Amino acid sequence: MGASLSSLTESESTAANGGRPSLGDIPENCVACVFMYLTPPEICNLARLNRAFRGAASSDSVWDSKLPVNYHQLLDVLPQRENYECVRKKDIFAALSRGVAFDDGNKEVWLDRISGRICMSISTKAMLITSGEDRRHWNWFPTEESRFHVVAYCQQVWWFEVSGSVKFPFPPDIYTLTFRVHLGKFHKRLGRRVCNFEHTHGWDLGPVRYELFTSDGQHSVSEYSIHDSDQDDASAYLKRGGNWIEYKVGEFIVSSSDPATEVRFSMKQIDCTHSKGGLCVDSVSITPSDLKARKRKGVGVSTYQ
């Protein structure tokens, strides 16, 4: 069977294969119809088989089915948009899946390479931080662990509040919004990652409140205590490994990309009876809800990819 399959894939035509049928005999338009049901990585792998498969893998009809319905609106955020007016849909998909930064590089949107659905990340640099300009309370440090290569570090505050917003033509879908945070401050020492919890305090005295609002009236509220051992023992895991975790704020539904959906979000702990500090805030992510598995109660350990 292996030899038979090899002859099918290696031969371009029946004549070249001694009269036996081969994959090269399948009409390109038929291959394109099959490709519409496959994922982009599967299509790219099959394109290596023969000329017909390569031609089908470059077909606009195939890649049009992989792009969001409103991909023309997404092109508006691309620098030099005019360069994409006459290119193949395959190249447009490739450009969008690599990620496109906008809003001075503080926000990034990309297509999931498997499903072709929209994902977004928003840097803390694009958010409003209470007392964020006071270096006694907040500062910034560079790191390769962030998509934006910089994170905000809360040294010590009484009023903790981080908020932001984004207005974007999200394609119809159900989205989950999360905050990505890190307990303690990390750095490299002799090539090893080391976490410092010297200034980490106050988070066990009250929960952090997360909220989101959308322009069409949707509202979601969540509260988590970073030191709550009931959340899959998340705090103990953090103190041992010093990992990033994502706190789920909530979900929102987009039924139409016109008009664009505005999403406002916040993370706060404004109980001024005690101070708190020693927390890094990296970004907010907006992702189709079924693309990423979440831990119970919305808390999941994560790494930057």
Side-chain angles (χ1 to χ4, degrees), residues 91-109:
D91 296 325
I92 293 175
F93 185 95
L96 292 175
S97 65
R98 284 193 294 268
V100 181
F102 64 105
D103 191 13
D104 296 326
N106 293 322
K107 298 173 183 175
E108 187 172 349
V109 63

Side-chain angles (χ1 to χ4, degrees), residues 274-293:
H274 65 277
S275 67
K276 42 266 179 187
L279 186 74
C280 295
V281 184
D282 173 29
S283 60
V284 159
S285 69
I286 299 176
T287 309
S289 295
D290 58 351
L291 283 188
K292 187 187 296 184

Side-chain angles (χ1 to χ4, degrees), residues 104-248:
D104 296 326
N106 293 322
K107 298 173 183 175
E108 187 172 349
V109 63
W110 66 95
L111 297 185
D112 175 70
R113 294 184 180 183
I114 303 297
S115 66
R117 294 155 75 189
I118 282 291
C119 303
M120 180 181 290
S121 187
I122 303 166
S123 170
T124 317
K125 280 285 188 181
M127 303 179 203
L128 178 64
I129 302 176
T130 302
S131 303
E133 300 301 320
D134 191 332
R135 294 183 63 84
R136 295 173 300 175
H137 302 303
W138 287 87
N139 54 63
W140 302 84
F141 68 92
T143 173
E144 293 301 313
E145 295 187 15
S146 169
R147 179 180 294 275
F148 301 97
H149 306 293
V150 64
V151 298
Y153 178 67
C154 176
Q155 185 96 351
Q156 178 173 309
V157 295
W158 293 82
W159 184 293
F160 176 90
E161 184 171 4
V162 180
S163 60
S165 66
V166 63
K167 188 173 184 180
F168 194 80
F170 291 99
D173 211 329
I174 302 175
Y175 296 89
T176 292
L177 187 146
T178 61
F179 269 88
R180 187 171 187 257
V181 304
H182 187 293
L183 195 65
K185 189 174 183 179
F186 54 91
H187 62 279
K188 288 287 186 69
R189 179 186 298 166
L190 300 177
R192 297 184 61 185
R193 189 179 189 272
V194 179
C195 290
N196 185 344
F197 298 99
E198 178 183 357
H199 299 289
T200 302
H201 68 283
W203 304 107
D204 57 332
L205 300 179
V208 176
R209 182 182 178 91
Y210 302 84
E211 286 188 88
L212 75 80
F213 300 86
T214 66
S215 51
D216 60 356
Q218 298 177 70
H219 178 216
S220 183
V221 180
S222 300
E223 287 192 350
Y224 305 110
S225 175
I226 294 178
H227 285 264
D228 187 352
S229 61
D230 291 335
Q231 297 181 38
D232 293 336
D233 204 18
S235 64
Y237 185 85
L238 282 173
K239 283 195 172 183
R240 288 197 306 271
N243 291 289
W244 290 97
I245 55 173
E246 294 182 355
Y247 283 94
K248 178 179 176 180

